[in-house]
Amino acid sequence: MVFISFLVLMFELIFFIFIGFLLFFLFWHSYATRNSPYISIPNEVLPETIKTLHVKKGDIVYDLGSGDGKVLFALYEKEPNAKYIGIDISYWPYFVSKRKKEQNHDKADLTFYRQDVFDTELSAATHIFIYSSAQFMDDILPKLKKELVKGTRLVSCDFKFSDKKEIQVIDLGRQGEKFGKNLYVYEF
C-alpha cells in the first residue's frame, strides 16, 4: 500500500512539473515570437500572392515568419531559378518547412532558418513576403528602412505599415473571411 501511494505521489509530481514546464514554454514562446501567432496563409490567396510578388530568375526572396514554407514552395514551383529564404523563430513551423524541403524539394535553392527576423540581415533581399500582425509590421519597419536596398518589393497579407504608404492594395475578394482579405504592396 505504501508503495502504491509513493507511485501515485511520484506520478503527480512528474505531472505537475510537466505542466509547469509546458506553461513556462508557452509564455516564453509568446514573448520570443513577439506575440505573432502562426497562421498559415489561405491556399486561395497563394496565386495572387505569387503574381503580386513578381519573382524573376536571380531574385532573392525572404519570407519573414515563413511558417511551414507554403509561400516559398509555391513561389519555387513558379520560378525555380530564384533563391528563397524562410525565417521563423518558432520550432514547429521551422521543423515542418525543413521536412517538406527534404521530402519534396531537396535540390531547390530553398533555405529555412529558425531565428529571430530582427537578428537577420536582410540587405540581400530583392523581395520580401510577410504575413504576421499589425504590431510586427510597425516593429520591423525601422529595420527594413535601414537594411533594404532601393527597389526591394515587399508584399504583406492582411497587415499594413502605419508609417509607410503602400504603392498598391489588392482586394482579394474575401471580405467574409477572417484571413486573406488584402495584399499590401510596398517598394523600398
Side-chain angles (χ1 to χ4, degrees):
M1 188 63 143
V2 173
F3 182 70
I4 292 175
S5 296
F6 175 75
L7 285 178
V8 169
L9 181 64
M10 290 305 292
F11 175 77
E12 289 173 349
L13 181 64
I14 291 170
F15 176 76
F16 285 116
I17 289 172
F18 174 75
I19 295 298
F21 176 75
L22 184 62
L23 289 173
F24 172 78
F25 178 77
L26 291 174
F27 284 115
W28 171 83
H29 187 265
S30 175
Y31 171 76
T33 59
R34 301 176 194 258
N35 294 316
S36 291
Y38 166 64
I39 300 171
S40 185
I41 188 168
N43 288 333
E44 301 82 14
V45 175
L46 277 174
E48 191 65 33
T49 302
I50 292 165
K51 181 177 145 188
T52 304
L53 276 162
H54 300 300
V55 176
K56 301 178 302 298
K57 180 179 180 177
D59 286 339
I60 301 172
V61 182
Y62 280 72
D63 185 347
L64 305 183
S66 57
D68 62 2
K70 182 190 292 190
V71 173
L72 295 180
F73 290 121
L75 285 165
Y76 172 78
E77 293 299 323
K78 178 80 171 161
E79 178 49 74
N81 296 307
K83 181 175 183 166
Y84 301 98
I85 300 167
I87 309 294
D88 205 300
I89 198 167
S90 299
Y91 286 99
W92 182 250
Y94 165 76
F95 173 76
V96 170
S97 62
K98 291 283 282 187
R99 191 79 172 128
K100 283 169 69 175
K101 181 188 186 287
E102 290 169 4
Q103 290 176 338
N104 304 315
H105 301 90
D106 196 34
K107 296 194 181 352
D109 202 351
L110 283 152
T111 308
F112 294 95
Y113 297 101
R114 197 203 66 75
Q115 64 189 44
D116 191 329
V117 298
F118 291 91
D119 296 330
T120 303
E121 176 62 42
L122 302 172
S123 61
T126 59
H127 297 71
I128 292 182
F129 177 74
I130 301 176
Y131 187 33
S132 189
S133 69
Q135 184 63 51
F136 177 83
M137 296 298 287
D138 288 338
D139 289 347
I140 196 78
L141 184 57
K143 177 177 177 62
L144 297 173
K145 286 180 175 178
K146 179 180 173 189
E147 294 183 16
L148 297 182
V149 297
K150 186 174 172 49
T152 301
R153 184 176 186 86
L154 185 145
V155 174
S156 173
C157 185
D158 286 336
F159 303 101
K160 60 183 180 174
F161 296 114
S162 60
D163 268 355
K164 183 167 177 64
K165 181 76 174 142
E166 60 276 353
I167 60 170
Q168 184 180 12
V169 177
I170 299 171
D171 181 344
L172 297 169
R174 296 172 42 89
Q175 298 313 319
E177 301 295 326
K178 190 170 183 177
F179 303 110
K181 295 179 183 180
N182 295 299
L183 292 177
Y184 297 94
V185 184
Y186 298 89
E187 190 170 299
F188 284 81

